[in-house]
Amino acid sequence: MTRMVPTGIDRRALLKSSVAAGAALTTGVAMPAIAQTRPIKLGYVSPQTGPLAAFAEADNFIIANFKETTKAGIKLGSATLPVEVVVKDSQSNPNRAAQVAKDLIVQDKIDVMLVASTPETTNPVSTQCEIEEVPCISTVAPWQPWFIGRQADPAGGPPAWKNFNYTYHFFWGLEDVIAVFTNMWSQVPTNKSVGGLFPNDGDGNAWGDKQVGFPPVLEKAGYKLTDSGRYQNLTDNFSAQISAFKNANAEIITGVVLPPDFTTFWKQALQQGFRPKVASIGKAILFPVAVEALGKDGNNLSSEVWWSPNHPFKSSLTGTSARELAASYESATKKQWTQPIGFVHALFEVAVDVLKRAPQRDAKAMVGAVAATNLDTVVGKVQWSGANLPPFATKNVAKTPLVGGQWRVKDGNKYDIVITDNRTAPNIPAGGKMEAIG
């Protein structure tokens, strides 16, 4: 005979209560004590393959270091428990990200979800955690695509600005990257004509949004933006965009572009005789390998800098400085440091801090601990205090500092990024001034 679950009863809650009751009956031990003896399980999702793979280049290093740091376990209350990290690859695909998140929750039974790197990964994972009522901490996506991108009204109306109960995010916002970019642009004499490269994805739609993105802020600051329209990622022909920018006499280019797409755009632009004075590009040229792929044509390209060896912060887990962490990565991998190192490390810092303050590992207790976080990490202070945020985002978003930098050739085709504007975060030292692209 088939047993029916009565309507109106949450299946997940029913399953939890049934398991708890069964365990209590068969063991005679209260569930909190059982929970205290099992290993801590952290789920981690990032785009380890596909066009966004550069964001996850340092993952293996960071996770190996974390496992070494916590090999004796983490003390939660009176117990010291082993830690397991279950890693999943989103393959740079939002549908895949949602599926592996569900697998981590349902099959692996993780305690906390950690997720990094662009809205295409952070958003579907966060949404899955919200549905399943599992604490989730995310980073490496501007807060607007993460928060506003998950507010869509199914009926097609305006966002309702609902808060989230289980998902929390730390990073910077579009207001910060716009300030950083315009601060850098002000150092180079230009005609203030800007060409915008905004793809049809979570980042591109947010950056190009006429209400919360670049257009209204640039207009107010006296810039003329030529938005060439949304293009599909992994396109192989940017002639239409280049033609529009040339017709507008754009001396500045900006946008948020996949690494392979910017390589295609920049090579085609130079071939077609279009060389702006400034190119400040999010996402695409965050990584040394992406700039090196351009050879000498990568010199003086600029981008936001969320983390670098020059950031004056230390890890709450190990006491390691930003400079020491970057040097350790370079020594272990023989590769140049990359910006996500700091933020992936900080994800695990926050997770451990939260678990120590919610040793019972009850989901609601843990999200309460996340909300109460006040932690100095290797990327700066992480605190969901609502500072410098609009009222609707204060619960779920914490902001971290942002500066701007420019890539300079140092040895052959090897590049280093020089922080060229720190007005948004004066405690992070600048190393030079902006130069026009030659």
Side-chain angles (χ1 to χ4, degrees):
M1 179 177 175
T2 303
R3 240 182 121 184
M4 302 297 292
V5 177
T7 59
I9 295 178
D10 179 70
R11 290 175 178 269
R12 180 177 173 84
L14 182 64
L15 179 62
K16 284 181 177 178
S17 63
S18 299
V19 171
L25 287 170
T26 56
T27 65
V29 180
M31 276 304 292
I34 294 173
Q36 289 290 346
T37 63
R38 62 181 174 82
I40 299 162
K41 273 195 175 183
L42 302 177
Y44 175 66
V45 183
S46 68
Q48 292 144 44
T49 57
L52 299 170
F55 281 89
E57 183 179 336
D59 281 3
N60 288 340
F61 168 80
I62 294 298
I63 292 167
N65 271 14
F66 176 74
K67 289 180 177 178
E68 177 65 22
T69 301
T70 58
K71 65 182 179 181
I74 297 176
K75 187 173 176 60
L76 300 189
S78 60
T80 299
L81 303 176
V83 183
E84 296 178 13
V85 182
V86 188
V87 181
K88 297 288 185 180
D89 178 12
S90 73
Q91 299 177 359
S92 302
N93 182 304
N95 293 330
R96 163 80 178 178
Q99 182 57 56
V100 298
K102 188 166 185 177
D103 291 346
L104 286 167
I105 294 165
V106 175
Q107 297 176 13
D108 296 292
K109 299 183 177 7
I110 59 167
D111 294 297
V112 179
M113 181 77 78
L114 307 177
V115 56
S117 302
T118 79
E120 282 64 48
T121 303
T122 60
N123 289 21
V125 172
S126 297
T127 297
Q128 198 65 46
C129 289
E130 196 70 28
I131 292 168
E132 299 287 346
E133 300 181 356
V134 170
C136 176
I137 306 165
S138 57
T139 191
V140 189
W143 71 259
Q144 285 94 338
W146 178 84
F147 186 88
I148 298 173
R150 298 167 61 213
Q151 298 284 336
D153 181 354
W161 303 130
K162 63 181 181 292
N163 288 133
F164 302 111
N165 295 318
Y166 292 89
T167 51
Y168 288 77
H169 187 76
F170 67 95
F171 207 51
W172 42 266
L174 296 185
E175 68 279 16
D176 304 302
V177 73
I178 294 170
V180 163
F181 280 8
T182 54
N183 284 346
M184 289 196 293
W185 301 346
S186 70
Q187 297 182 37
V188 179
T190 69
N191 62 1
K192 288 196 166 186
S193 178
V194 182
L197 282 170
F198 304 124
N200 185 23
D201 63 16
D203 271 331
N205 291 327
W207 286 47
D209 189 273
K210 293 182 179 180
Q211 292 183 317
V212 300
F214 273 64
V217 183
L218 293 189
E219 182 180 0
K220 189 175 180 180
Y223 291 89
K224 178 188 175 184
L225 176 67
T226 299
D227 184 345
S228 56
R230 304 297 164 266
Y231 63 89
Q232 295 305 312
N233 283 322
L234 301 179
T235 189
D236 59 3
N237 189 345
F238 285 93
S239 295
Q241 289 82 3
I242 294 165
S243 178
F245 299 157
K246 289 173 75 173
N247 289 338
N249 192 24
E251 294 185 343
I252 302 169
I253 297 299
T254 194
V256 55
V257 186
L258 291 179
D261 283 351
F262 183 73
T263 299
T264 301
F265 166 82
W266 194 239
K267 287 182 175 179
Q268 291 180 359
L270 298 179
Q271 288 167 0
Q272 296 176 35
F274 177 58
R275 182 182 287 269
K277 292 182 178 180
V278 180
S280 299
I281 306 295
K283 188 183 285 186
I285 54 172
L286 294 167
F287 315 106
V289 65
V291 186
E292 288 165 9
L294 298 169
K296 61 181 176 56
D297 293 326
N299 196 49
N300 282 337
L301 295 175
S302 50
S303 75
E304 74 276 21
V305 180
W306 356 306
W307 185 83
S308 78
N310 294 314
H311 280 50
F313 308 125
K314 292 184 177 182
S315 166
S316 61
L317 278 175
T318 63
T320 302
S321 69
R323 184 169 299 281
E324 290 167 339
L325 182 59
S328 178
Y329 173 79
E330 292 184 339
S331 176
T333 66
K334 310 306 177 190
K335 296 178 180 179
Q336 193 171 348
W337 67 271
T338 183
Q339 294 197 43
I341 293 171
F343 277 85
V344 177
H345 182 93
L347 267 180
F348 288 91
E349 290 185 69
V350 175
V352 170
D353 179 65
V354 166
L355 285 161
K356 287 180 176 178
R357 289 182 289 111
Q360 67 273 38
R361 285 185 280 174
D362 170 76
K364 290 189 176 179
M366 284 193 289
V367 295
V370 175
T373 297
N374 183 1
L375 185 67
D376 290 319
T377 76
V378 77
V379 301
K381 184 178 288 293
V382 175
Q383 182 179 22
W384 280 270
S385 64
N388 303 313
L389 286 161
F392 59 79
T394 55
K395 175 183 175 182
N396 299 105
V397 176
K399 294 224 298 183
T400 51
L402 187 69
V403 293
Q406 197 167 34
W407 289 101
R408 305 265 166 81
V409 177
K410 59 176 184 176
D411 296 308
N413 279 346
K414 293 294 182 183
Y415 281 88
D416 199 7
I417 197 162
V418 176
I419 294 175
T420 54
D421 199 283
N422 66 345
R423 278 176 277 180
T424 47
N427 59 324
I428 300 169
K433 294 291 185 182
M434 282 287 288
E435 299 174 1
I437 295 171

